[in-house]
Amino acid sequence: MQKNNRIGSMKQPLSEKELIYFSKRKLLERITIQQLTNGHYEIFFTLKNTDTKYFLKTQRGESRTWVSLDRLTNHIRSFYEPIDNILLKLKKEIKYEKKH
């Protein structure tokens, strides 16, 4: 039995500019939308022929998040080419943060 090498499966950052570049060249294999425990959403991308998960980074290098799924889908429609493979992962329980 051949051992599966999962070194490439770690998360790597991508800038918006890089992501648009990959999208226009049809190199995106899948977009994963994941809901966080605070109810916000983040996205991960898989490029064709790789197991690496990429996340959209902010200017500070952190994972970009959206408050609503509607805003996130509008962002995807506005900046990326249509993609057939989108996975949505929702949390069973949400712990919304209260604003002070």
Side-chain angles (χ1 to χ4, degrees):
M1 190 162 105
Q2 185 177 9
K3 191 174 182 181
N4 189 2
N5 188 351
R6 303 293 293 174
I7 293 172
S9 64
M10 62 177 64
K11 296 177 188 175
Q12 298 290 326
L14 269 182
S15 69
E16 186 80 61
K17 188 176 182 178
E18 291 170 316
L19 193 49
I20 291 169
Y21 173 88
F22 290 135
S23 175
K24 286 183 179 179
R25 281 148 187 84
K26 306 285 187 189
L27 296 174
L28 296 180
E29 179 72 30
R30 177 178 53 219
I31 295 175
T32 302
I33 300 171
Q34 183 171 311
Q35 189 174 35
L36 305 172
T37 55
N38 66 0
H40 296 188
Y41 298 88
E42 63 183 343
I43 51 178
F44 296 97
F45 302 89
T46 306
L47 301 179
K48 293 182 179 180
N49 302 318
T50 181
D51 287 337
T52 304
K53 277 172 69 173
Y54 295 92
F55 66 92
L56 185 58
K57 69 177 179 176
T58 63
Q59 292 289 339
R60 295 182 178 183
E62 299 170 356
S63 181
R64 179 165 181 197
T65 61
W66 286 262
V67 174
S68 74
L69 187 56
D70 186 46
R71 287 184 182 187
L72 173 54
T73 55
N74 286 337
H75 179 86
I76 290 170
R77 284 187 190 114
S78 297
F79 292 100
Y80 315 133
E81 296 298 315
I83 185 169
D84 294 331
N85 195 357
I86 297 178
L87 177 64
L88 176 62
K89 294 181 178 181
L90 299 174
K91 290 286 185 187
K92 188 168 182 106
E93 292 185 24
I94 303 297
K95 297 177 184 169
Y96 293 103
E97 298 172 354
K98 293 182 181 180
K99 292 185 178 181
H100 296 265

